[in-house]
Amino acid sequence: MHVIEAFGHTELLFRWSAVWAMINDLSVICHVGESHAQMLSEWFEPHKNISVAGPRNGDSWKKYLKKLPIEKEDVLILNTTARFKHWPSELLAHPRLYMVVHNVKYQFSSQEKFRWKLLPEYLKKIVDQPAKERFHKAVKGIIVPLPGMAEFIRSENADAGEIHVIPFAYQGDEVPSSARRKFRMVVPGTVIEKTRLYPVLIEALNYATAHGLKGELVLAGEAKDEKIVDDFKERFAIQEENEIYSGVDTGGIKVIIYRRLIPQIEYEELLSTASVVIAPVKKDVVFQTQTEEIGRTKLSGAFFDALFHRKRLLLPAGIGIDLPGTSKFTDAINLGDQLLSLAKSMVPVEPDEKYAISRLASLWESLIFNSHI
């Protein structure tokens, strides 16, 4: 099986590698850019059936993919599709080609087709819609993490072909509470205002610290929104050192903000020592020309980060996600109360067979070995 990640979104390769390693008679080659190759090679080292390849020595992705030796029987997974018109026709002609879908409405909504018909001719030359439709016709199947996403695709495209619902992570083992040095709250993801409700989070911290909460808050993603950084600076005595902002308020909450990309292995370490994962995501997020609904047509990676590390996950009410260990908050005060409660007594996240590594392995086996040309 060949897995191609040409755009640097390697998180799923980390999550799925242990699943692929369980499957007998399977060899996996992950094709990634040079900047990700070393880290993935180290992560895959325990898994003898998984290797890393990709364009090197100045080769372009298009040139590399054109000469990629893929057998007719091989399964080919496109982990991120991005700019469709840049994929070589040789690759799109492969009979066992699958794509992982992250933004369902952008990919499959009938609104996109209608929008295309209304565009002036000169604009039609520079947008991706015809290439996108050719791409959809070329793939044998689609991979999505939730049944609701599959249902949306079917409602918009009855002829979409195979749709495989495979969660983006299996449920890992819980880190013993004794391994945690303090109550650590982790908010995964790039720090930008358009996708997350940071003002609600700050208000919840104000409330919780006033009622005795102590611990650490980590914004586990590169901070790209200066306004959000300034908001935290106003609230906490934050100083910068080696591209990391950190500060402590008088109530005893330490806040850590990264002004750089966090390497995946460092990111996993942050999550593994979390007491709780907070995902203050907005329900509606604009992607390209479409407004995606989190939990129905698009996901936040934070959901499966929490699942993978078996952490309790706090989400805004109204987000249509029901993963193991998930709790919903209605407003900042309710979030603050839940944090106070968890800081006093952490309730373990119970295992769920639906997200067991063995079940994910069986789902992948079905796609690889029971799906014929």
Side-chain angles (χ1 to χ4, degrees):
M1 182 170 76
H2 296 265
V3 182
I4 297 174
E5 178 43 74
F7 301 95
H9 301 148
T10 55
E11 298 89 346
L12 287 183
L13 309 188
F14 282 86
R15 296 285 184 262
W16 278 334
S17 58
V19 179
W20 297 330
M22 293 183 66
I23 301 174
N24 294 326
D25 302 319
L26 176 65
S27 175
V28 181
I29 304 174
C30 293
H31 304 268
V32 300
E34 195 162 8
S35 61
H36 297 273
Q38 181 62 36
M39 185 166 52
L40 277 172
S41 295
E42 292 174 4
W43 186 269
F44 295 160
E45 193 169 349
H47 311 313
K48 302 305 179 187
N49 65 330
I50 306 177
S51 59
V52 175
R56 306 291 182 261
N57 302 318
D59 266 4
S60 68
W61 270 104
K62 190 165 187 177
K63 182 178 179 181
Y64 174 79
L65 292 173
K66 276 192 171 186
K67 60 184 181 183
L68 193 64
I70 301 178
E71 300 295 330
K72 185 179 179 182
E73 297 79 13
D74 292 345
V75 172
L76 178 58
I77 307 289
L78 297 186
N79 190 51
T80 310
T81 51
R83 298 180 181 180
F84 301 93
K85 57 191 175 187
H86 297 311
W87 295 102
S89 56
E90 294 89 342
L91 182 142
L92 295 184
H94 188 69
R96 302 193 71 192
L97 174 65
Y98 293 83
M99 64 184 286
V100 180
V101 175
H102 304 268
N103 299 284
V104 169
K105 283 183 73 174
Y106 174 69
Q107 295 278 9
F108 293 101
S109 173
S110 55
Q111 294 174 20
E112 283 288 294
K113 297 178 182 179
F114 181 70
R115 194 187 300 270
W116 164 256
K117 290 177 182 178
L118 297 180
L119 280 178
E121 287 301 320
Y122 75 94
L123 283 177
K124 289 183 179 180
K125 296 177 182 179
I126 59 174
V127 297
D128 286 347
Q129 184 65 24
K132 186 191 296 186
E133 291 186 9
R134 287 197 299 273
F135 190 91
H136 292 164
K137 291 176 182 176
V139 297
K140 179 176 178 62
I142 295 159
I143 299 169
V144 292
L146 293 175
M149 297 173 81
E151 290 165 9
F152 183 90
I153 294 172
R154 284 281 183 228
S155 70
E156 296 284 316
N157 292 267
D159 57 349
E162 294 179 16
I163 303 179
H164 296 263
V165 179
I166 303 178
F168 280 176
Y170 62 91
Q171 188 179 31
D173 297 325
E174 184 166 30
V175 175
S177 58
S178 59
R180 303 191 187 107
R181 294 169 296 173
K182 61 182 71 175
F183 183 65
R184 171 178 277 183
M185 301 161 281
V186 176
V187 183
T190 303
V191 181
I192 49 176
E193 186 274 336
K194 75 172 188 176
T195 60
R196 285 170 174 78
L197 302 164
Y198 290 105
V200 173
L201 178 61
I202 292 174
E203 186 181 345
L205 289 174
N206 287 338
Y207 170 82
T209 53
H211 288 77
L213 181 68
K214 297 184 183 298
E216 185 176 78
L217 175 78
V218 182
L219 302 187
E222 183 180 9
K224 293 186 175 182
D225 193 316
E226 293 301 325
K227 182 181 183 305
I228 299 301
V229 173
D230 289 342
D231 288 346
F232 275 96
K233 280 183 176 179
E234 285 183 18
R235 174 65 181 78
F236 299 90
I238 286 177
Q239 296 180 335
E240 183 177 11
E241 184 178 344
N242 297 326
E243 297 183 285
I244 298 176
Y245 284 165
S246 66
V248 181
D249 79 336
T250 55
I253 288 286
K254 181 178 181 180
V255 171
I256 298 174
I257 304 174
Y258 288 81
R259 302 310 304 268
R260 59 168 171 79
L261 286 171
I262 305 176
Q264 190 73 30
I265 292 175
E266 183 181 350
Y267 179 75
E268 303 296 346
E269 289 174 353
L270 286 173
L271 285 161
S272 70
T273 57
S275 306
V276 61
V277 172
I278 309 172
V281 292
K282 295 181 177 180
K283 184 176 180 180
D284 297 320
V285 175
V286 175
F287 179 81
Q288 302 286 2
T289 56
Q290 289 291 325
T291 299
E292 303 282 355
E293 182 181 335
I294 298 294
R296 181 168 176 256
T297 68
K298 181 179 174 65
L299 280 181
S300 166
F303 305 160
F304 285 102
D305 289 337
L307 180 81
F308 183 72
H309 289 280
R310 203 161 154 193
K311 304 298 180 183
R312 193 151 297 280
L313 174 66
L314 300 183
L315 289 175
I319 301 295
I321 290 293
D322 188 24
L323 294 174
T326 300
S327 298
K328 307 289 179 70
F329 59 86
T330 55
D331 54 27
I333 303 303
N334 182 245
L335 173 57
D337 281 334
Q338 291 196 49
L339 292 173
L340 287 164
S341 176
L342 290 170
K344 292 176 183 176
S345 177
M346 287 297 300
V347 179
V349 177
E350 295 299 324
D352 187 329
E353 285 302 311
K354 192 192 318 186
Y355 298 101
I357 189 171
S358 57
R359 180 173 184 271
L360 265 66
S362 69
L363 293 173
W364 273 104
E365 281 185 296
S366 178
L367 183 152
I368 295 164
F369 298 116
N370 298 333
S371 178
H372 303 292
I373 298 171

